[in-house]
PDB file of all heavy atoms in Angstrom:
ATOM      1  N   CYS G   1      79.955 -83.712-135.759  1.00 46.00           N
ATOM      2  CA  CYS G   1      81.057 -83.726-136.730  1.00 46.00           C
ATOM      3  C   CYS G   1      82.391 -83.410-136.103  1.00 46.00           C
ATOM      4  O   CYS G   1      83.259 -82.848-136.738  1.00 46.00           O
ATOM      5  CB  CYS G   1      80.732 -82.765-137.883  1.00 46.00           C
ATOM      6  SG  CYS G   1      79.228 -83.212-138.755  1.00 46.00           S
ATOM      7  N   SER G   2      82.593 -83.928-134.932  1.00 49.00           N
ATOM      8  CA  SER G   2      83.928 -83.681-134.298  1.00 49.00           C
ATOM      9  C   SER G   2      85.000 -84.533-134.942  1.00 49.00           C
ATOM     10  O   SER G   2      84.691 -85.540-135.540  1.00 49.00           O
ATOM     11  CB  SER G   2      83.870 -83.969-132.768  1.00 49.00           C
ATOM     12  OG  SER G   2      83.587 -85.293-132.570  1.00 49.00           O
ATOM     13  N   SER G   3      86.220 -84.199-134.780  1.00 48.00           N
ATOM     14  CA  SER G   3      87.263 -84.837-135.434  1.00 48.00           C
ATOM     15  C   SER G   3      87.473 -86.230-134.973  1.00 48.00           C
ATOM     16  O   SER G   3      88.102 -87.136-135.674  1.00 48.00           O
ATOM     17  CB  SER G   3      88.593 -84.021-135.294  1.00 48.00           C
ATOM     18  OG  SER G   3      88.923 -83.895-133.947  1.00 48.00           O
ATOM     19  N   THR G   4      87.007 -86.519-133.689  1.00 53.00           N
ATOM     20  CA  THR G   4      87.297 -87.860-133.128  1.00 53.00           C
ATOM     21  C   THR G   4      86.094 -88.826-133.353  1.00 53.00           C
ATOM     22  O   THR G   4      86.098 -89.943-133.010  1.00 53.00           O
ATOM     23  CB  THR G   4      87.424 -87.713-131.601  1.00 53.00           C
ATOM     24  OG1 THR G   4      86.283 -87.057-131.069  1.00 53.00           O
ATOM     25  CG2 THR G   4      88.692 -86.911-131.347  1.00 53.00           C
ATOM     26  N   GLN G   5      85.053 -88.316-134.000  1.00 59.00           N
ATOM     27  CA  GLN G   5      83.803 -89.159-134.192  1.00 59.00           C
ATOM     28  C   GLN G   5      84.117 -90.226-135.230  1.00 59.00           C
ATOM     29  O   GLN G   5      84.618 -89.907-136.341  1.00 59.00           O
ATOM     30  CB  GLN G   5      82.627 -88.302-134.536  1.00 59.00           C
ATOM     31  CG  GLN G   5      81.378 -89.123-134.561  1.00 59.00           C
ATOM     32  CD  GLN G   5      80.149 -88.212-134.763  1.00 59.00           C
ATOM     33  OE1 GLN G   5      80.258 -87.301-135.607  1.00 59.00           O
ATOM     34  NE2 GLN G   5      79.085 -88.455-134.036  1.00 59.00           N
ATOM     35  N   LYS G   6      83.717 -91.444-134.998  1.00 63.00           N
ATOM     36  CA  LYS G   6      83.949 -92.487-135.925  1.00 63.00           C
ATOM     37  C   LYS G   6      82.961 -92.480-137.028  1.00 63.00           C
ATOM     38  O   LYS G   6      81.784 -92.057-136.943  1.00 63.00           O
ATOM     39  CB  LYS G   6      83.917 -93.827-135.190  1.00 63.00           C
ATOM     40  CG  LYS G   6      84.867 -94.100-134.176  1.00 63.00           C
ATOM     41  CD  LYS G   6      84.703 -95.366-133.453  1.00 63.00           C
ATOM     42  CE  LYS G   6      85.762 -95.550-132.350  1.00 63.00           C
ATOM     43  NZ  LYS G   6      85.619 -96.861-131.642  1.00 63.00           N
ATOM     44  N   ALA G   7      83.393 -92.943-138.178  1.00 75.00           N
ATOM     45  CA  ALA G   7      82.532 -92.981-139.384  1.00 75.00           C
ATOM     46  C   ALA G   7      81.269 -93.880-139.168  1.00 75.00           C
ATOM     47  O   ALA G   7      80.210 -93.677-139.684  1.00 75.00           O
ATOM     48  CB  ALA G   7      83.247 -93.520-140.572  1.00 75.00           C
ATOM     49  N   ALA G   8      81.496 -94.839-138.227  1.00 77.00           N
ATOM     50  CA  ALA G   8      80.378 -95.785-137.932  1.00 77.00           C
ATOM     51  C   ALA G   8      79.221 -95.033-137.309  1.00 77.00           C
ATOM     52  O   ALA G   8      77.982 -95.433-137.535  1.00 77.00           O
ATOM     53  CB  ALA G   8      80.843 -96.868-136.980  1.00 77.00           C
ATOM     54  N   VAL G   9      79.460 -94.007-136.524  1.00 78.00           N
ATOM     55  CA  VAL G   9      78.451 -93.268-135.886  1.00 78.00           C
ATOM     56  C   VAL G   9      77.557 -92.507-136.914  1.00 78.00           C
ATOM     57  O   VAL G   9      76.338 -92.575-136.905  1.00 78.00           O
ATOM     58  CB  VAL G   9      78.998 -92.245-134.807  1.00 78.00           C
ATOM     59  CG1 VAL G   9      77.933 -91.312-134.383  1.00 78.00           C
ATOM     60  CG2 VAL G   9      79.529 -93.021-133.657  1.00 78.00           C
ATOM     61  N   LYS G  10      78.272 -91.914-137.862  1.00 83.00           N
ATOM     62  CA  LYS G  10      77.557 -91.247-138.967  1.00 83.00           C
ATOM     63  C   LYS G  10      76.710 -92.170-139.793  1.00 83.00           C
ATOM     64  O   LYS G  10      75.557 -91.871-140.125  1.00 83.00           O
ATOM     65  CB  LYS G  10      78.539 -90.507-139.891  1.00 83.00           C
ATOM     66  CG  LYS G  10      79.291 -89.402-139.244  1.00 83.00           C
ATOM     67  CD  LYS G  10      80.206 -88.733-140.300  1.00 83.00           C
ATOM     68  CE  LYS G  10      80.996 -87.547-139.727  1.00 83.00           C
ATOM     69  NZ  LYS G  10      81.931 -86.898-140.692  1.00 83.00           N
ATOM     70  N   GLU G  11      77.248 -93.408-139.998  1.00 85.00           N
ATOM     71  CA  GLU G  11      76.533 -94.353-140.816  1.00 85.00           C
ATOM     72  C   GLU G  11      75.291 -94.807-140.044  1.00 85.00           C
ATOM     73  O   GLU G  11      74.259 -94.943-140.591  1.00 85.00           O
ATOM     74  CB  GLU G  11      77.450 -95.562-141.109  1.00 85.00           C
ATOM     75  CG  GLU G  11      76.719 -96.524-142.055  1.00 85.00           C
ATOM     76  CD  GLU G  11      77.754 -97.674-142.474  1.00 85.00           C
ATOM     77  OE1 GLU G  11      78.956 -97.523-142.247  1.00 85.00           O
ATOM     78  OE2 GLU G  11      77.219 -98.676-142.922  1.00 85.00           O
ATOM     79  N   GLN G  12      75.459 -94.980-138.748  1.00 86.00           N
ATOM     80  CA  GLN G  12      74.264 -95.400-137.907  1.00 86.00           C
ATOM     81  C   GLN G  12      73.224 -94.303-137.853  1.00 86.00           C
ATOM     82  O   GLN G  12      72.046 -94.591-137.878  1.00 86.00           O
ATOM     83  CB  GLN G  12      74.736 -95.787-136.551  1.00 86.00           C
ATOM     84  CG  GLN G  12      75.416 -97.163-136.479  1.00 86.00           C
ATOM     85  CD  GLN G  12      75.863 -97.495-135.099  1.00 86.00           C
ATOM     86  OE1 GLN G  12      76.417 -96.627-134.344  1.00 86.00           O
ATOM     87  NE2 GLN G  12      75.653 -98.711-134.689  1.00 86.00           N
ATOM     88  N   MET G  13      73.660 -93.006-137.801  1.00 88.00           N
ATOM     89  CA  MET G  13      72.684 -91.929-137.743  1.00 88.00           C
ATOM     90  C   MET G  13      71.909 -91.934-139.117  1.00 88.00           C
ATOM     91  O   MET G  13      70.657 -91.728-139.091  1.00 88.00           O
ATOM     92  CB  MET G  13      73.396 -90.599-137.535  1.00 88.00           C
ATOM     93  CG  MET G  13      73.927 -90.379-136.156  1.00 88.00           C
ATOM     94  SD  MET G  13      72.660 -90.087-134.959  1.00 88.00           S
ATOM     95  CE  MET G  13      72.154 -88.476-135.358  1.00 88.00           C
ATOM     96  N   TYR G  14      72.529 -92.226-140.167  1.00 87.00           N
ATOM     97  CA  TYR G  14      71.933 -92.252-141.442  1.00 87.00           C
ATOM     98  C   TYR G  14      70.917 -93.400-141.548  1.00 87.00           C
ATOM     99  O   TYR G  14      69.790 -93.277-141.880  1.00 87.00           O
ATOM    100  CB  TYR G  14      72.978 -92.410-142.615  1.00 87.00           C
ATOM    101  CG  TYR G  14      72.334 -92.501-143.937  1.00 87.00           C
ATOM    102  CD1 TYR G  14      72.175 -91.343-144.702  1.00 87.00           C
ATOM    103  CD2 TYR G  14      72.013 -93.742-144.487  1.00 87.00           C
ATOM    104  CE1 TYR G  14      71.585 -91.475-145.936  1.00 87.00           C
ATOM    105  CE2 TYR G  14      71.435 -93.840-145.766  1.00 87.00           C
ATOM    106  CZ  TYR G  14      71.211 -92.640-146.472  1.00 87.00           C
ATOM    107  OH  TYR G  14      70.657 -92.789-147.739  1.00 87.00           O
ATOM    108  N   ASP G  15      71.372 -94.583-141.003  1.00 89.00           N
ATOM    109  CA  ASP G  15      70.459 -95.757-140.974  1.00 89.00           C
ATOM    110  C   ASP G  15      69.248 -95.478-140.132  1.00 89.00           C
ATOM    111  O   ASP G  15      68.112 -95.847-140.515  1.00 89.00           O
ATOM    112  CB  ASP G  15      71.225 -96.993-140.431  1.00 89.00           C
ATOM    113  CG  ASP G  15      72.306 -97.453-141.372  1.00 89.00           C
ATOM    114  OD1 ASP G  15      72.293 -97.104-142.578  1.00 89.00           O
ATOM    115  OD2 ASP G  15      73.233 -98.186-140.904  1.00 89.00           O
ATOM    116  N   GLY G  16      69.447 -94.786-138.999  1.00 89.00           N
ATOM    117  CA  GLY G  16      68.314 -94.464-138.152  1.00 89.00           C
ATOM    118  C   GLY G  16      67.304 -93.542-138.788  1.00 89.00           C
ATOM    119  O   GLY G  16      66.120 -93.660-138.676  1.00 89.00           O
ATOM    120  N   ALA G  17      67.892 -92.589-139.556  1.00 89.00           N
ATOM    121  CA  ALA G  17      67.061 -91.631-140.290  1.00 89.00           C
ATOM    122  C   ALA G  17      66.173 -92.298-141.312  1.00 89.00           C
ATOM    123  O   ALA G  17      65.015 -92.052-141.484  1.00 89.00           O
ATOM    124  CB  ALA G  17      67.880 -90.549-140.891  1.00 89.00           C
ATOM    125  N   VAL G  18      66.816 -93.221-141.991  1.00 91.00           N
ATOM    126  CA  VAL G  18      66.096 -93.984-143.046  1.00 91.00           C
ATOM    127  C   VAL G  18      64.956 -94.771-142.474  1.00 91.00           C
ATOM    128  O   VAL G  18      63.819 -94.795-142.956  1.00 91.00           O
ATOM    129  CB  VAL G  18      67.010 -94.969-143.809  1.00 91.00           C
ATOM    130  CG1 VAL G  18      66.270 -95.863-144.802  1.00 91.00           C
ATOM    131  CG2 VAL G  18      67.990 -94.086-144.597  1.00 91.00           C
ATOM    132  N   LEU G  19      65.247 -95.413-141.338  1.00 91.00           N
ATOM    133  CA  LEU G  19      64.242 -96.250-140.631  1.00 91.00           C
ATOM    134  C   LEU G  19      63.080 -95.328-140.122  1.00 91.00           C
ATOM    135  O   LEU G  19      61.890 -95.661-140.233  1.00 91.00           O
ATOM    136  CB  LEU G  19      64.842 -97.006-139.480  1.00 91.00           C
ATOM    137  CG  LEU G  19      65.707 -98.162-139.809  1.00 91.00           C
ATOM    138  CD1 LEU G  19      66.491 -98.643-138.574  1.00 91.00           C
ATOM    139  CD2 LEU G  19      64.825 -99.309-140.369  1.00 91.00           C
ATOM    140  N   PHE G  20      63.455 -94.184-139.606  1.00 90.00           N
ATOM    141  CA  PHE G  20      62.367 -93.232-139.128  1.00 90.00           C
ATOM    142  C   PHE G  20      61.508 -92.791-140.258  1.00 90.00           C
ATOM    143  O   PHE G  20      60.295 -92.802-140.202  1.00 90.00           O
ATOM    144  CB  PHE G  20      63.009 -92.010-138.460  1.00 90.00           C
ATOM    145  CG  PHE G  20      62.007 -91.024-137.922  1.00 90.00           C
ATOM    146  CD1 PHE G  20      61.626 -91.106-136.576  1.00 90.00           C
ATOM    147  CD2 PHE G  20      61.477 -89.984-138.715  1.00 90.00           C
ATOM    148  CE1 PHE G  20      60.677 -90.210-136.106  1.00 90.00           C
ATOM    149  CE2 PHE G  20      60.536 -89.182-138.254  1.00 90.00           C
ATOM    150  CZ  PHE G  20      60.175 -89.263-136.891  1.00 90.00           C
ATOM    151  N   ASN G  21      62.141 -92.423-141.402  1.00 90.00           N
ATOM    152  CA  ASN G  21      61.321 -91.922-142.520  1.00 90.00           C
ATOM    153  C   ASN G  21      60.482 -93.028-143.178  1.00 90.00           C
ATOM    154  O   ASN G  21      59.501 -92.745-143.913  1.00 90.00           O
ATOM    155  CB  ASN G  21      62.321 -91.330-143.535  1.00 90.00           C
ATOM    156  CG  ASN G  21      62.916 -90.083-143.076  1.00 90.00           C
ATOM    157  OD1 ASN G  21      62.338 -89.308-142.339  1.00 90.00           O
ATOM    158  ND2 ASN G  21      64.126 -89.768-143.549  1.00 90.00           N
ATOM    159  N   SER G  22      60.838 -94.297-142.831  1.00 91.00           N
ATOM    160  CA  SER G  22      60.029 -95.474-143.325  1.00 91.00           C
ATOM    161  C   SER G  22      58.991 -95.802-142.233  1.00 91.00           C
ATOM    162  O   SER G  22      58.364 -96.875-142.401  1.00 91.00           O
ATOM    163  CB  SER G  22      60.968 -96.692-143.651  1.00 91.00           C
ATOM    164  OG  SER G  22      61.948 -96.339-144.613  1.00 91.00           O
ATOM    165  N   GLN G  23      58.919 -94.969-141.184  1.00 92.00           N
ATOM    166  CA  GLN G  23      57.954 -95.197-140.113  1.00 92.00           C
ATOM    167  C   GLN G  23      58.243 -96.455-139.329  1.00 92.00           C
ATOM    168  O   GLN G  23      57.355 -97.064-138.642  1.00 92.00           O
ATOM    169  CB  GLN G  23      56.522 -95.191-140.629  1.00 92.00           C
ATOM    170  CG  GLN G  23      56.119 -93.897-141.330  1.00 92.00           C
ATOM    171  CD  GLN G  23      54.693 -93.871-141.734  1.00 92.00           C
ATOM    172  OE1 GLN G  23      53.887 -94.787-141.481  1.00 92.00           O
ATOM    173  NE2 GLN G  23      54.308 -92.824-142.490  1.00 92.00           N
ATOM    174  N   LYS G  24      59.488 -96.925-139.283  1.00 93.00           N
ATOM    175  CA  LYS G  24      59.966 -98.102-138.407  1.00 93.00           C
ATOM    176  C   LYS G  24      60.537 -97.466-137.192  1.00 93.00           C
ATOM    177  O   LYS G  24      61.790 -97.514-137.085  1.00 93.00           O
ATOM    178  CB  LYS G  24      60.863 -99.002-139.256  1.00 93.00           C
ATOM    179  CG  LYS G  24      60.233 -99.573-140.553  1.00 93.00           C
ATOM    180  CD  LYS G  24      61.254-100.380-141.309  1.00 93.00           C
ATOM    181  CE  LYS G  24      60.619-101.010-142.495  1.00 93.00           C
ATOM    182  NZ  LYS G  24      61.561-101.839-143.336  1.00 93.00           N
ATOM    183  N   TYR G  25      59.709 -96.921-136.396  1.00 93.00           N
ATOM    184  CA  TYR G  25      60.144 -96.166-135.230  1.00 93.00           C
ATOM    185  C   TYR G  25      60.884 -97.050-134.225  1.00 93.00           C
ATOM    186  O   TYR G  25      61.925 -96.601-133.604  1.00 93.00           O
ATOM    187  CB  TYR G  25      59.008 -95.416-134.556  1.00 93.00           C
ATOM    188  CG  TYR G  25      58.230 -94.593-135.605  1.00 93.00           C
ATOM    189  CD1 TYR G  25      56.926 -94.764-135.823  1.00 93.00           C
ATOM    190  CD2 TYR G  25      58.878 -93.610-136.269  1.00 93.00           C
ATOM    191  CE1 TYR G  25      56.227 -94.007-136.794  1.00 93.00           C
ATOM    192  CE2 TYR G  25      58.218 -92.772-137.255  1.00 93.00           C
ATOM    193  CZ  TYR G  25      56.885 -93.041-137.484  1.00 93.00           C
ATOM    194  OH  TYR G  25      56.199 -92.280-138.375  1.00 93.00           O
ATOM    195  N   THR G  26      60.429 -98.206-133.908  1.00 95.00           N
ATOM    196  CA  THR G  26      61.105 -99.093-132.906  1.00 95.00           C
ATOM    197  C   THR G  26      62.467 -99.435-133.360  1.00 95.00           C
ATOM    198  O   THR G  26      63.422 -99.440-132.518  1.00 95.00           O
ATOM    199  CB  THR G  26      60.223-100.338-132.679  1.00 95.00           C
ATOM    200  OG1 THR G  26      58.898-100.015-132.192  1.00 95.00           O
ATOM    201  CG2 THR G  26      60.872-101.235-131.632  1.00 95.00           C
ATOM    202  N   GLU G  27      62.583 -99.835-134.624  1.00 95.00           N
ATOM    203  CA  GLU G  27      63.933-100.106-135.192  1.00 95.00           C
ATOM    204  C   GLU G  27      64.862 -98.881-135.138  1.00 95.00           C
ATOM    205  O   GLU G  27      66.041 -99.017-134.892  1.00 95.00           O
ATOM    206  CB  GLU G  27      63.727-100.743-136.594  1.00 95.00           C
ATOM    207  CG  GLU G  27      63.138-102.022-136.667  1.00 95.00           C
ATOM    208  CD  GLU G  27      61.553-101.918-136.860  1.00 95.00           C
ATOM    209  OE1 GLU G  27      61.048-100.872-136.424  1.00 95.00           O
ATOM    210  OE2 GLU G  27      60.967-102.904-137.337  1.00 95.00           O
ATOM    211  N   ALA G  28      64.275 -97.722-135.471  1.00 92.00           N
ATOM    212  CA  ALA G  28      65.099 -96.528-135.464  1.00 92.00           C
ATOM    213  C   ALA G  28      65.664 -96.261-134.050  1.00 92.00           C
ATOM    214  O   ALA G  28      66.775 -95.836-133.924  1.00 92.00           O
ATOM    215  CB  ALA G  28      64.201 -95.327-135.918  1.00 92.00           C
ATOM    216  N   ILE G  29      64.759 -96.426-133.054  1.00 94.00           N
ATOM    217  CA  ILE G  29      65.211 -96.201-131.712  1.00 94.00           C
ATOM    218  C   ILE G  29      66.446 -97.073-131.323  1.00 94.00           C
ATOM    219  O   ILE G  29      67.412 -96.595-130.760  1.00 94.00           O
ATOM    220  CB  ILE G  29      64.046 -96.466-130.658  1.00 94.00           C
ATOM    221  CG1 ILE G  29      62.961 -95.413-130.799  1.00 94.00           C
ATOM    222  CG2 ILE G  29      64.548 -96.601-129.209  1.00 94.00           C
ATOM    223  CD1 ILE G  29      61.674 -95.709-130.123  1.00 94.00           C
ATOM    224  N   LYS G  30      66.369 -98.275-131.714  1.00 94.00           N
ATOM    225  CA  LYS G  30      67.455 -99.237-131.397  1.00 94.00           C
ATOM    226  C   LYS G  30      68.766 -98.735-132.015  1.00 94.00           C
ATOM    227  O   LYS G  30      69.881 -98.819-131.467  1.00 94.00           O
ATOM    228  CB  LYS G  30      67.128-100.661-131.917  1.00 94.00           C
ATOM    229  CG  LYS G  30      66.021-101.281-131.131  1.00 94.00           C
ATOM    230  CD  LYS G  30      65.732-102.677-131.695  1.00 94.00           C
ATOM    231  CE  LYS G  30      64.579-103.296-130.905  1.00 94.00           C
ATOM    232  NZ  LYS G  30      64.222-104.664-131.550  1.00 94.00           N
ATOM    233  N   VAL G  31      68.710 -98.203-133.310  1.00 91.00           N
ATOM    234  CA  VAL G  31      69.946 -97.712-133.945  1.00 91.00           C
ATOM    235  C   VAL G  31      70.490 -96.521-133.256  1.00 91.00           C
ATOM    236  O   VAL G  31      71.605 -96.402-133.000  1.00 91.00           O
ATOM    237  CB  VAL G  31      69.551 -97.394-135.477  1.00 91.00           C
ATOM    238  CG1 VAL G  31      70.829 -96.750-136.081  1.00 91.00           C
ATOM    239  CG2 VAL G  31      69.200 -98.682-136.188  1.00 91.00           C
ATOM    240  N   PHE G  32      69.581 -95.589-132.859  1.00 92.00           N
ATOM    241  CA  PHE G  32      70.032 -94.379-132.229  1.00 92.00           C
ATOM    242  C   PHE G  32      70.580 -94.595-130.757  1.00 92.00           C
ATOM    243  O   PHE G  32      71.407 -93.966-130.330  1.00 92.00           O
ATOM    244  CB  PHE G  32      68.909 -93.341-132.151  1.00 92.00           C
ATOM    245  CG  PHE G  32      68.547 -92.749-133.519  1.00 92.00           C
ATOM    246  CD1 PHE G  32      67.209 -92.839-133.939  1.00 92.00           C
ATOM    247  CD2 PHE G  32      69.473 -92.219-134.359  1.00 92.00           C
ATOM    248  CE1 PHE G  32      66.902 -92.228-135.200  1.00 92.00           C
ATOM    249  CE2 PHE G  32      69.199 -91.666-135.579  1.00 92.00           C
ATOM    250  CZ  PHE G  32      67.903 -91.689-136.046  1.00 92.00           C
ATOM    251  N   GLU G  33      69.995 -95.661-130.156  1.00 93.00           N
ATOM    252  CA  GLU G  33      70.479 -96.049-128.866  1.00 93.00           C
ATOM    253  C   GLU G  33      71.994 -96.555-128.941  1.00 93.00           C
ATOM    254  O   GLU G  33      72.811 -96.242-128.067  1.00 93.00           O
ATOM    255  CB  GLU G  33      69.681 -97.142-128.217  1.00 93.00           C
ATOM    256  CG  GLU G  33      68.362 -96.615-127.659  1.00 93.00           C
ATOM    257  CD  GLU G  33      67.459 -97.655-127.111  1.00 93.00           C
ATOM    258  OE1 GLU G  33      67.621 -98.824-127.460  1.00 93.00           O
ATOM    259  OE2 GLU G  33      66.637 -97.264-126.227  1.00 93.00           O
ATOM    260  N   LYS G  34      72.284 -97.297-130.067  1.00 91.00           N
ATOM    261  CA  LYS G  34      73.695 -97.672-130.278  1.00 91.00           C
ATOM    262  C   LYS G  34      74.613 -96.506-130.462  1.00 91.00           C
ATOM    263  O   LYS G  34      75.714 -96.464-130.059  1.00 91.00           O
ATOM    264  CB  LYS G  34      73.703 -98.690-131.506  1.00 91.00           C
ATOM    265  CG  LYS G  34      73.036-100.003-131.238  1.00 91.00           C
ATOM    266  CD  LYS G  34      73.169-100.857-132.447  1.00 91.00           C
ATOM    267  CE  LYS G  34      72.478-102.255-132.176  1.00 91.00           C
ATOM    268  NZ  LYS G  34      72.406-103.137-133.376  1.00 91.00           N
ATOM    269  N   VAL G  35      74.045 -95.468-131.193  1.00 89.00           N
ATOM    270  CA  VAL G  35      74.867 -94.230-131.391  1.00 89.00           C
ATOM    271  C   VAL G  35      75.192 -93.694-130.058  1.00 89.00           C
ATOM    272  O   VAL G  35      76.363 -93.209-129.758  1.00 89.00           O
ATOM    273  CB  VAL G  35      74.083 -93.168-132.284  1.00 89.00           C
ATOM    274  CG1 VAL G  35      74.817 -91.895-132.264  1.00 89.00           C
ATOM    275  CG2 VAL G  35      73.904 -93.753-133.620  1.00 89.00           C
ATOM    276  N   LEU G  36      74.203 -93.564-129.130  1.00 91.00           N
ATOM    277  CA  LEU G  36      74.434 -93.012-127.783  1.00 91.00           C
ATOM    278  C   LEU G  36      75.428 -93.796-126.967  1.00 91.00           C
ATOM    279  O   LEU G  36      76.195 -93.240-126.199  1.00 91.00           O
ATOM    280  CB  LEU G  36      73.107 -92.877-127.026  1.00 91.00           C
ATOM    281  CG  LEU G  36      72.304 -91.623-127.360  1.00 91.00           C
ATOM    282  CD1 LEU G  36      70.937 -91.677-126.540  1.00 91.00           C
ATOM    283  CD2 LEU G  36      72.991 -90.346-127.023  1.00 91.00           C
ATOM    284  N   GLU G  37      75.426 -95.119-127.206  1.00 90.00           N
ATOM    285  CA  GLU G  37      76.473 -95.983-126.539  1.00 90.00           C
ATOM    286  C   GLU G  37      77.847 -95.503-126.894  1.00 90.00           C
ATOM    287  O   GLU G  37      78.825 -95.486-126.097  1.00 90.00           O
ATOM    288  CB  GLU G  37      76.203 -97.390-126.783  1.00 90.00           C
ATOM    289  CG  GLU G  37      74.933 -97.980-126.143  1.00 90.00           C
ATOM    290  CD  GLU G  37      74.659 -99.415-126.586  1.00 90.00           C
ATOM    291  OE1 GLU G  37      75.530-100.066-127.227  1.00 90.00           O
ATOM    292  OE2 GLU G  37      73.544 -99.890-126.264  1.00 90.00           O
TER     293      GLU G  37
END
């Protein structure tokens, strides 16, 4: 939650969490990798 973090990163983290909780682990990994980029 740093002041410089883009809203897009938060949104992607949320999307990744939803995919994980839906047991779509491969898709979740791809989303979190984009966050790391």
